[in-house]
């Protein structure tokens, strides 16, 4: 029997939750795709979106997905992501240059197969990004201010990097690539014994014999049912004055863009800058820098301080207004229904391109699930399976020749133009190409 709201507690501070809205027939997972044999028992779920009025954190009243300890990383090798990570690493080294440690130990929490660990090699090479050294301006900085990078000073440091990852297969893959990657999860009781960091350029190693200089974690905290314990682990294993670079998806982005289909069970916590700040300060971290990167991600650079010396931010208890999200949900459902009625009158068929979490939510919560013939996705591990909740087959683009349709709706934010180009180049006869823009389906 489900707990009442009075009994359900906040993931971050343990206080009571207040329900904001319920979203129906949502996918249980954005990463687990049922087989044909599993369709009889697989179904969607109702997700209750709640808010803690004490610390302000918006969260789902549900259990975390079963794989919340594993890192699932898409687009980690893109040129855009590589440039961002290397800039962040160079910034960290510029801060470390002010301290006495010349051979810093740097640990990534939830490192996957080491995609971002490997990017330290670009920073270790000593590539100078400025002519006379002092700073460069980042195009991702929300305020437009410059980030001090100090490239030449940081070249004098020799960083030793390592990572921990829960999923064994990913650890083995990273180790095979020569990275210092270890199996584990940042929680109470886990120790960094018998581990060593590696300087990727020289191959030299340094054992973890004490506390670390830096930790980094990228878009992982939002999956955690006990985020305080994970942050406590980071605090416990960092030197006093050590740095923690942390990123999470921004709930403010979802509010600003009225995009209900960005909500997913996998992200059990939906952080704003205010609710994240409250959480990290309670764990003993002081905020050094904050910015928004890639339009939809919060980046915090934190420093370990004595807990009693930390500034404490407290929520004013204001209730988040999610009315725009609910209006967006209704408007999209109505527009899709209208579009499908026109399609039926012409006797035409539609496919969707993109088994992303946005696509999965749209399919399960609108009339699309009743009319779409199939979903095209380029990820081999999804092909041959079905979408959760809506139960549509996921196929490769070559399937179009066996079952042609008159139009393809792209549901893969950030890749729309790229996918449209692939359709126009590779699929014949070329169907109409559509995309969801705001609250309406539009032809590209």
């Amino acid at each position: 029997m489900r707990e009442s709201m009075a009994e359900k507690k906040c993931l971050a501070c343990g206080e009571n939750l207040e329900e904001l809205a319920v979203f129906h027939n949502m996918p249980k997972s954005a990463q687990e795709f049922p087989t044909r044999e599993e369709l009889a028992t697989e179904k969607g779920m109702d997700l209750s979106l709640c808010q803690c009025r004490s610390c302000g954190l918006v969260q789902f009243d549900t259990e975390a997905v079963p794989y919340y300890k594993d890192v699932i990383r898409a687009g980690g090798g893109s040129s855009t992501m590589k440039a961002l990570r290397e800039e962040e690493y160079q910034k960290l080294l510029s801060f470390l240059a002010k301290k006495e440690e010349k051979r810093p130990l740097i640990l990534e929490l939830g490192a996957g197969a080491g995609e971002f660990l490997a990017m330290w090699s670009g920073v270790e090479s000593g590539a100078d990004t400025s002519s006379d050294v002092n700073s460069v301006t980042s195009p991702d900085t929300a305020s437009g201010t410059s980030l001090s990078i100090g490239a030449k000073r940081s070249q004098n440091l020799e960083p030793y990097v390592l990572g921990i990852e829960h999923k064994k297969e990913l650890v083995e893959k990273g180790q095979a690539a020569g990275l210092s990657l270890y199996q584990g999860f940042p929680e109470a009781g886990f120790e960094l014994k018998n581990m060593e960091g590696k300087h990727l350029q020289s191959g030299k190693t340094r054992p973890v014999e004490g506390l670390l200089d830096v930790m980094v974690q990228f878009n992982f905290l939002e999956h955690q049912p006990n985020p305080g314990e994970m942050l406590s682990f980071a605090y416990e294993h960092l030197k006093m004055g050590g740095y923690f670079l942390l990123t999470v998806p921004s709930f403010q982005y979802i509010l600003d863009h009225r995009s209900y289909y960005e909500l997913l069970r996998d992200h059990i916590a939906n952080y704003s800058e205010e609710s994240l700040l409250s959480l990290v300060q309670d764990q003993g971290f002081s905020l050094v820098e904050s910015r928004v990167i890639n339009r939809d991600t919060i980046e915090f650079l934190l420093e370990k301080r004595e807990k009693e010396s930390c500034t404490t931010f407290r929520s004013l208890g204001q209730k988040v207004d999610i009315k725009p999200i609910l209006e967006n949900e209704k408007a999209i459902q109505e527009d899709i229904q209208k579009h499908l009625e026109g399609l039926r009158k012409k006797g035409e068929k539609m496919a969707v391109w993109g088994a992303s979490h946005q696509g999965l939510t749209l399919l399960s919560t609108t009339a699309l699930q009743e009319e779409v013939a199939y979903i095209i996705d380029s990820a081999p591990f999804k092909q041959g399976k079905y979408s959760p909740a809506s139960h549509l087959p996921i196929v490769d683009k070559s399937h179009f020749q066996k079952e042609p349709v008159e139009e393809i709706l792209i549901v893969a934010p950030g890749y729309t133009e790229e996918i449209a180009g692939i359709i126009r180049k590779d699929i014949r006869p070329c169907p109409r190409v559509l995309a969801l823009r705001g609250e309406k389906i539009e032809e590209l």
Side-chain angles (χ1 to χ4, degrees), residues 418-431:
E418 179 182 349
I419 293 170
I422 293 172
I423 294 172
R424 290 170 179 143
K425 175 177 178 290
D426 296 343
I427 294 183
R428 292 292 179 273
C430 188

Side-chain angles (χ1 to χ4, degrees), residues 158-172:
E158 190 176 79
Y160 287 77
V161 298
L162 68 155
I164 57 174
E165 164 59 38
H166 178 258
K167 193 169 186 177
K168 183 180 179 181
E169 301 93 299
L170 295 180
V171 173
E172 291 173 346

Side-chain angles (χ1 to χ4, degrees), residues 199-216:
H199 183 254
L200 298 184
Q201 287 291 317
S202 66
K204 294 188 294 184
T205 60
R206 180 186 174 190
V208 178
E209 296 175 322
L211 299 177
L212 299 156
D213 299 280
V214 173
M215 286 191 191
V216 297

Side-chain angles (χ1 to χ4, degrees), residues 63 66 71 105 130 240 292 316 369 409-410 438:
E63 298 296 322
V71 165
L105 275 168
S130 62
M240 191 60 63
V292 174
L316 297 177
Q369 62 182 301
L409 173 64
I410 301 173

Side-chain angles (χ1 to χ4, degrees), residues 72-82 85 115-116 119 294 415:
I72 298 173
R73 187 166 284 157
S78 69
S79 58
T80 300
M81 189 59 67
K82 185 174 186 293
R85 290 288 97 96
E115 300 90 342
F116 295 155
M119 293 178 188
N294 289 347
Y415 301 95

Side-chain angles (χ1 to χ4, degrees), residues 87-88 91 95 138 140-147 244-248 250 271-277 280-281 286-293 297-303:
E87 181 216 321
E88 290 170 324
K91 177 171 65 174
F95 277 94
S138 166
D140 287 315
T141 305
S143 64
T145 56
S146 293
L147 294 174
F244 186 21
L245 182 70
L246 173 69
T247 71
V248 297
S250 169
Y271 291 100
S272 64
E273 291 189 60
E274 292 79 10
S275 59
L276 183 60
L277 183 60
V280 298
Q281 287 181 338
S286 176
L287 181 64
V288 178
E289 286 187 0
S290 170
R291 61 174 180 161
V292 174
I293 57 176
T297 302
I298 300 167
E299 177 194 272
F300 273 10
L301 178 59
L302 307 168
E303 185 176 9

Side-chain angles (χ1 to χ4, degrees), residues 81-142:
M81 189 59 67
K82 185 174 186 293
L84 174 60
R85 290 288 97 96
E86 290 184 358
E87 181 216 321
E88 290 170 324
Y89 296 163
Q90 190 64 264
K91 177 171 65 174
L92 282 169
L93 293 183
S94 74
F95 277 94
L96 287 169
K98 303 171 186 177
K99 302 182 182 289
E100 295 182 0
E101 181 56 66
K102 301 297 183 184
R103 301 166 65 239
L105 275 168
I106 300 168
L107 171 66
E108 182 178 348
L109 304 177
E115 300 90 342
F116 295 155
L117 273 182
M119 293 178 188
W120 277 98
S121 61
V123 177
E124 291 178 6
S125 66
D128 188 0
T129 58
S130 62
S131 56
D132 59 5
V133 183
N134 292 321
S135 67
V136 293
T137 300
S138 166
D140 287 315
T141 305

